[in-house]
PDB file of all heavy atoms in Angstrom:
ATOM      1  N   MET Z 425     -12.769  -2.595  19.534  1.00  0.00           N
ATOM      2  CA  MET Z 425     -12.754  -2.204  20.987  1.00  0.00           C
ATOM      3  C   MET Z 425     -12.883  -3.522  21.805  1.00  0.00           C
ATOM      4  O   MET Z 425     -13.906  -3.924  22.164  1.00  0.00           O
ATOM      5  CB  MET Z 425     -13.900  -1.283  21.283  1.00  0.00           C
ATOM      6  CG  MET Z 425     -13.877  -0.019  20.412  1.00  0.00           C
ATOM      7  SD  MET Z 425     -13.011   1.298  21.247  1.00  0.00           S
ATOM      8  CE  MET Z 425     -14.354   1.970  22.044  1.00  0.00           C
ATOM      9  N   ALA Z 427     -11.399  -3.894  24.806  1.00  0.00           N
ATOM     10  CA  ALA Z 427     -11.103  -3.707  26.227  1.00  0.00           C
ATOM     11  C   ALA Z 427     -12.345  -4.070  27.096  1.00  0.00           C
ATOM     12  O   ALA Z 427     -13.460  -3.939  26.538  1.00  0.00           O
ATOM     13  CB  ALA Z 427     -10.758  -2.244  26.445  1.00  0.00           C
ATOM     14  N   VAL Z 429     -13.958  -2.583  29.707  1.00  0.00           N
ATOM     15  CA  VAL Z 429     -14.095  -1.240  30.360  1.00  0.00           C
ATOM     16  C   VAL Z 429     -15.011  -1.391  31.565  1.00  0.00           C
ATOM     17  O   VAL Z 429     -16.142  -1.917  31.422  1.00  0.00           O
ATOM     18  CB  VAL Z 429     -14.614  -0.215  29.363  1.00  0.00           C
ATOM     19  CG1 VAL Z 429     -14.469   1.176  29.999  1.00  0.00           C
ATOM     20  CG2 VAL Z 429     -13.841  -0.252  27.991  1.00  0.00           C
ATOM     21  N   ALA Z 430     -14.642  -0.868  32.688  1.00  0.00           N
ATOM     22  CA  ALA Z 430     -15.477  -0.788  33.817  1.00  0.00           C
ATOM     23  C   ALA Z 430     -16.758   0.084  33.584  1.00  0.00           C
ATOM     24  O   ALA Z 430     -16.593   1.171  32.942  1.00  0.00           O
ATOM     25  CB  ALA Z 430     -14.833  -0.149  35.111  1.00  0.00           C
ATOM     26  N   ASP Z 431     -17.967  -0.519  33.890  1.00  0.00           N
ATOM     27  CA  ASP Z 431     -19.187   0.259  33.621  1.00  0.00           C
ATOM     28  C   ASP Z 431     -19.441   1.260  34.727  1.00  0.00           C
ATOM     29  O   ASP Z 431     -20.233   2.229  34.526  1.00  0.00           O
ATOM     30  CB  ASP Z 431     -20.303  -0.700  33.493  1.00  0.00           C
ATOM     31  CG  ASP Z 431     -20.309  -1.491  32.241  1.00  0.00           C
ATOM     32  OD1 ASP Z 431     -19.798  -1.025  31.254  1.00  0.00           O
ATOM     33  OD2 ASP Z 431     -20.693  -2.723  32.222  1.00  0.00           O
ATOM     34  N   THR Z 456     -19.680   5.030  34.046  1.00  0.00           N
ATOM     35  CA  THR Z 456     -18.577   5.526  33.202  1.00  0.00           C
ATOM     36  C   THR Z 456     -19.190   5.829  31.813  1.00  0.00           C
ATOM     37  O   THR Z 456     -20.301   5.394  31.448  1.00  0.00           O
ATOM     38  CB  THR Z 456     -17.489   4.572  32.979  1.00  0.00           C
ATOM     39  OG1 THR Z 456     -17.987   3.398  32.422  1.00  0.00           O
ATOM     40  CG2 THR Z 456     -16.736   4.250  34.342  1.00  0.00           C
ATOM     41  N   THR Z 457     -18.508   6.594  31.031  1.00  0.00           N
ATOM     42  CA  THR Z 457     -18.951   6.795  29.629  1.00  0.00           C
ATOM     43  C   THR Z 457     -18.812   5.492  28.844  1.00  0.00           C
ATOM     44  O   THR Z 457     -17.821   4.822  28.937  1.00  0.00           O
ATOM     45  CB  THR Z 457     -18.044   7.903  28.942  1.00  0.00           C
ATOM     46  OG1 THR Z 457     -18.065   9.076  29.746  1.00  0.00           O
ATOM     47  CG2 THR Z 457     -18.581   8.210  27.559  1.00  0.00           C
ATOM     48  N   ASP Z 458     -19.842   5.180  28.091  1.00  0.00           N
ATOM     49  CA  ASP Z 458     -19.680   4.051  27.161  1.00  0.00           C
ATOM     50  C   ASP Z 458     -18.855   4.511  25.965  1.00  0.00           C
ATOM     51  O   ASP Z 458     -19.364   5.224  25.060  1.00  0.00           O
ATOM     52  CB  ASP Z 458     -21.067   3.573  26.764  1.00  0.00           C
ATOM     53  CG  ASP Z 458     -20.928   2.206  26.034  1.00  0.00           C
ATOM     54  OD1 ASP Z 458     -19.981   2.043  25.211  1.00  0.00           O
ATOM     55  OD2 ASP Z 458     -21.779   1.309  26.208  1.00  0.00           O
ATOM     56  N   ILE Z 459     -17.668   4.053  25.909  1.00  0.00           N
ATOM     57  CA  ILE Z 459     -16.690   4.647  24.897  1.00  0.00           C
ATOM     58  C   ILE Z 459     -17.089   4.174  23.490  1.00  0.00           C
ATOM     59  O   ILE Z 459     -17.056   4.956  22.579  1.00  0.00           O
ATOM     60  CB  ILE Z 459     -15.268   4.230  25.216  1.00  0.00           C
ATOM     61  CG1 ILE Z 459     -14.828   4.507  26.707  1.00  0.00           C
ATOM     62  CG2 ILE Z 459     -14.246   4.772  24.286  1.00  0.00           C
ATOM     63  CD1 ILE Z 459     -13.627   3.840  27.192  1.00  0.00           C
ATOM     64  N   LEU Z 460     -17.479   2.943  23.410  1.00  0.00           N
ATOM     65  CA  LEU Z 460     -17.803   2.396  22.148  1.00  0.00           C
ATOM     66  C   LEU Z 460     -19.052   3.039  21.550  1.00  0.00           C
ATOM     67  O   LEU Z 460     -19.062   3.412  20.348  1.00  0.00           O
ATOM     68  CB  LEU Z 460     -18.056   0.807  22.270  1.00  0.00           C
ATOM     69  CG  LEU Z 460     -18.393   0.106  21.069  1.00  0.00           C
ATOM     70  CD1 LEU Z 460     -17.350   0.196  19.981  1.00  0.00           C
ATOM     71  CD2 LEU Z 460     -18.541  -1.472  21.465  1.00  0.00           C
ATOM     72  N   GLY Z 475     -17.316  -4.052  17.992  1.00  0.00           N
ATOM     73  CA  GLY Z 475     -17.337  -4.178  19.480  1.00  0.00           C
ATOM     74  C   GLY Z 475     -17.207  -5.582  19.964  1.00  0.00           C
ATOM     75  O   GLY Z 475     -17.223  -6.525  19.113  1.00  0.00           O
ATOM     76  N   PHE Z 476     -17.017  -5.799  21.165  1.00  0.00           N
ATOM     77  CA  PHE Z 476     -16.880  -7.069  21.817  1.00  0.00           C
ATOM     78  C   PHE Z 476     -17.933  -7.196  22.927  1.00  0.00           C
ATOM     79  O   PHE Z 476     -18.265  -6.211  23.527  1.00  0.00           O
ATOM     80  CB  PHE Z 476     -15.456  -7.222  22.369  1.00  0.00           C
ATOM     81  CG  PHE Z 476     -14.414  -7.486  21.252  1.00  0.00           C
ATOM     82  CD1 PHE Z 476     -14.086  -6.480  20.421  1.00  0.00           C
ATOM     83  CD2 PHE Z 476     -13.913  -8.801  21.066  1.00  0.00           C
ATOM     84  CE1 PHE Z 476     -13.138  -6.682  19.346  1.00  0.00           C
ATOM     85  CE2 PHE Z 476     -13.035  -8.954  19.989  1.00  0.00           C
ATOM     86  CZ  PHE Z 476     -12.644  -7.905  19.161  1.00  0.00           C
ATOM     87  N   ALA Z 477     -18.406  -8.379  23.139  1.00  0.00           N
ATOM     88  CA  ALA Z 477     -19.288  -8.655  24.162  1.00  0.00           C
ATOM     89  C   ALA Z 477     -19.010  -9.921  24.940  1.00  0.00           C
ATOM     90  O   ALA Z 477     -18.625 -10.894  24.301  1.00  0.00           O
ATOM     91  CB  ALA Z 477     -20.701  -8.783  23.672  1.00  0.00           C
ATOM     92  N   LEU Z 478     -18.890  -9.809  26.233  1.00  0.00           N
ATOM     93  CA  LEU Z 478     -18.560 -10.975  27.062  1.00  0.00           C
ATOM     94  C   LEU Z 478     -19.865 -11.301  27.806  1.00  0.00           C
ATOM     95  O   LEU Z 478     -20.259 -10.525  28.658  1.00  0.00           O
ATOM     96  CB  LEU Z 478     -17.432 -10.624  28.068  1.00  0.00           C
ATOM     97  CG  LEU Z 478     -16.974 -11.845  29.003  1.00  0.00           C
ATOM     98  CD1 LEU Z 478     -16.337 -13.008  28.134  1.00  0.00           C
ATOM     99  CD2 LEU Z 478     -15.911 -11.383  29.987  1.00  0.00           C
ATOM    100  N   LYS Z 490     -26.360  -4.893  21.818  1.00  0.00           N
ATOM    101  CA  LYS Z 490     -25.237  -3.958  21.830  1.00  0.00           C
ATOM    102  C   LYS Z 490     -24.843  -3.477  20.344  1.00  0.00           C
ATOM    103  O   LYS Z 490     -24.504  -2.329  20.132  1.00  0.00           O
ATOM    104  CB  LYS Z 490     -24.072  -4.589  22.493  1.00  0.00           C
ATOM    105  CG  LYS Z 490     -24.254  -4.812  24.023  1.00  0.00           C
ATOM    106  CD  LYS Z 490     -23.197  -5.661  24.582  1.00  0.00           C
ATOM    107  CE  LYS Z 490     -23.610  -5.989  26.093  1.00  0.00           C
ATOM    108  NZ  LYS Z 490     -22.653  -6.853  26.772  1.00  0.00           N
ATOM    109  N   LYS Z 494     -25.130   0.479  19.813  1.00  0.00           N
ATOM    110  CA  LYS Z 494     -23.904   1.191  19.712  1.00  0.00           C
ATOM    111  C   LYS Z 494     -23.484   1.497  18.280  1.00  0.00           C
ATOM    112  O   LYS Z 494     -22.369   1.931  18.005  1.00  0.00           O
ATOM    113  CB  LYS Z 494     -22.754   0.467  20.456  1.00  0.00           C
ATOM    114  CG  LYS Z 494     -23.092   0.125  21.835  1.00  0.00           C
ATOM    115  CD  LYS Z 494     -21.913  -0.401  22.709  1.00  0.00           C
ATOM    116  CE  LYS Z 494     -22.384  -0.892  24.061  1.00  0.00           C
ATOM    117  NZ  LYS Z 494     -21.300  -1.155  25.001  1.00  0.00           N
TER     118      LYS Z 494
HETATM  119  N1  CTP K  33     -17.438  -0.652  26.271  1.00  0.00           N
HETATM  120  C1  CTP K  33     -17.002   0.640  26.183  1.00  0.00           C
HETATM  121  N2  CTP K  33     -17.118   1.477  27.296  1.00  0.00           N
HETATM  122  C2  CTP K  33     -17.716   1.052  28.391  1.00  0.00           C
HETATM  123  C3  CTP K  33     -18.231  -0.231  28.451  1.00  0.00           C
HETATM  124  C4  CTP K  33     -18.117  -1.119  27.377  1.00  0.00           C
HETATM  125  O1  CTP K  33     -16.396   0.957  25.159  1.00  0.00           O
HETATM  126  N3  CTP K  33     -17.870   1.911  29.430  1.00  0.00           N
HETATM  127  C5  CTP K  33     -17.269  -1.529  25.095  1.00  0.00           C
HETATM  128  C6  CTP K  33     -16.389  -2.786  25.325  1.00  0.00           C
HETATM  129  O2  CTP K  33     -15.039  -2.480  24.939  1.00  0.00           O
HETATM  130  C7  CTP K  33     -17.013  -3.751  24.342  1.00  0.00           C
HETATM  131  C8  CTP K  33     -18.472  -3.414  24.298  1.00  0.00           C
HETATM  132  O3  CTP K  33     -18.579  -2.034  24.817  1.00  0.00           O
HETATM  133  O4  CTP K  33     -16.516  -3.575  23.012  1.00  0.00           O
HETATM  134  C9  CTP K  33     -19.399  -4.221  25.092  1.00  0.00           C
HETATM  135  O5  CTP K  33     -18.885  -4.333  26.421  1.00  0.00           O
HETATM  136  P1  CTP K  33     -19.624  -5.179  27.553  1.00  0.00           P
HETATM  137  O6  CTP K  33     -18.988  -4.966  28.934  1.00  0.00           O
HETATM  138  O7  CTP K  33     -19.841  -6.600  27.074  1.00  0.00           O
HETATM  139  O8  CTP K  33     -21.092  -4.555  27.485  1.00  0.00           O
HETATM  140  P2  CTP K  33     -21.774  -3.256  28.148  1.00  0.00           P
HETATM  141  O9  CTP K  33     -22.205  -2.424  26.984  1.00  0.00           O
HETATM  142  O10 CTP K  33     -20.877  -2.679  29.171  1.00  0.00           O
HETATM  143  O11 CTP K  33     -23.062  -3.925  28.754  1.00  0.00           O
HETATM  144  P3  CTP K  33     -23.301  -4.912  29.990  1.00  0.00           P
HETATM  145  O12 CTP K  33     -22.076  -4.710  30.878  1.00  0.00           O
HETATM  146  O13 CTP K  33     -24.544  -4.469  30.554  1.00  0.00           O
HETATM  147  O14 CTP K  33     -23.305  -6.296  29.493  1.00  0.00           O
END
Side-chain angles (χ1 to χ4, degrees):
M425 304 267 273
V429 188
D431 290 327
T456 57
T457 304
D458 190 320
I459 308 168
L460 182 56
F476 285 72
L478 180 66
K490 291 173 191 176
K494 303 191 189 194

